[in-house]
Amino acid sequence: MGTATAAMPPPGSKTMHPTLQVIIASTRPGRAGKPIGDWFAEQCRFDGRFDVEVTDLAELALPLMDEPHHPRAREYVHDHTRSWSRTIESSDALVFVMPEYNHGYPAALKNALDYLYEEWAYKPVGFVSYGGISAGTRAVQLLKPVLTCLRMLPLTDQVALAHFTQFLTDGVFAPDHRTAAACAVMLDELSHTTGELARLRLPSAAS
């Protein structure tokens, strides 16, 4: 008997993947978040299950929350908010690349979250955290209640980088194989939950 082969897409067709938004949360000059975020984005692109976009909050430069209306109304008056809304609205899953500041998460990340409401709903979120011996995990635990209030699904599997500076050389992050393995585990869970939660974001069928 012949061996079955997978059907190939027609010539010129484009495979559609869910969009993964990688958000670099630190805004400090010289921060490690940028090279760590670049490394993680490359891991995601190599994995191939997502269309990967990267948002650097330092470059986004959102001011402190300056919208007069509640985010639930989506009556935005500033272009920076409308642009941020479009970015998150078009994303299917998110990963926050985040440090730990005094056992907590960066203020810039909380500010970016508070700008929006409906755009975050029913989307899974993973974490690449970094720090000293705690690897940024305390900050992640503090952030999770905020995310569940926004109806997001925080993953349990995460990439936690303890003493991360050992893997940084001349602005390039090059971790060991254990870190890459943790990344693969988180992407497996992210891929699974992204597909499941996408159904919750579909408009209700007309009766």
Side-chain angles (χ1 to χ4, degrees):
M1 296 178 65
T3 302
T5 57
M8 298 296 292
S13 66
K14 182 180 179 181
T15 303
M16 299 298 294
H17 298 296
T19 298
L20 171 60
Q21 193 69 228
V22 178
I23 298 178
I24 300 172
S26 175
T27 59
R28 293 175 57 186
R31 68 239 150 93
K34 183 65 167 64
I36 292 173
D38 289 343
W39 168 82
F40 178 72
E42 280 304 304
Q43 296 294 305
C44 297
R45 294 184 180 107
F46 181 77
D47 178 83
R49 285 177 285 184
F50 294 94
D51 290 330
V52 182
E53 297 180 358
V54 178
T55 294
D56 185 342
L57 292 187
E59 296 179 1
L60 187 65
L62 286 171
L64 285 176
M65 177 61 161
D66 60 353
E67 287 288 339
H69 307 295
H70 196 289
R72 285 183 179 176
R74 300 185 71 164
E75 296 176 0
Y76 306 131
V77 301
H78 298 297
D79 287 341
H80 56 254
T81 312
R82 296 188 188 101
S83 177
W84 181 226
S85 173
R86 289 191 296 269
T87 295
I88 300 305
E89 182 73 26
S90 65
S91 301
D92 300 294
L94 302 106
V95 170
F96 297 139
V97 179
M98 52 181 289
E100 181 177 307
Y101 294 158
N102 303 314
H103 291 210
Y105 47 86
L109 179 54
K110 181 61 163 62
N111 187 53
L113 288 165
D114 288 344
Y115 261 92
L116 310 176
Y117 184 74
E118 294 292 346
E119 295 90 333
W120 301 110
Y122 306 122
K123 295 178 182 179
V125 56
F127 309 93
V128 178
S129 66
Y130 56 97
I133 193 169
S134 73
T137 54
R138 294 173 297 201
V140 170
Q141 288 306 112
L142 283 180
L143 182 60
K144 284 181 177 180
V146 177
L147 303 179
T148 55
C149 182
L150 293 168
R151 294 177 292 168
M152 302 177 75
L153 177 64
L155 302 186
T156 299
D157 295 316
Q158 71 178 83
V159 180
L161 305 170
H163 304 297
F164 62 92
T165 54
Q166 64 185 305
F167 302 120
L168 273 173
T169 303
D170 297 327
V172 176
F173 184 68
D176 58 16
H177 68 281
R178 292 173 297 182
T179 303
C183 180
V185 169
M186 185 176 73
L187 288 174
D188 284 344
E189 185 66 8
L190 196 65
S191 178
H192 174 71
T193 53
T194 298
E196 293 298 318
L197 289 181
R199 288 182 278 182
L200 296 179
R201 302 198 306 275
L202 292 173
S204 300
S207 55

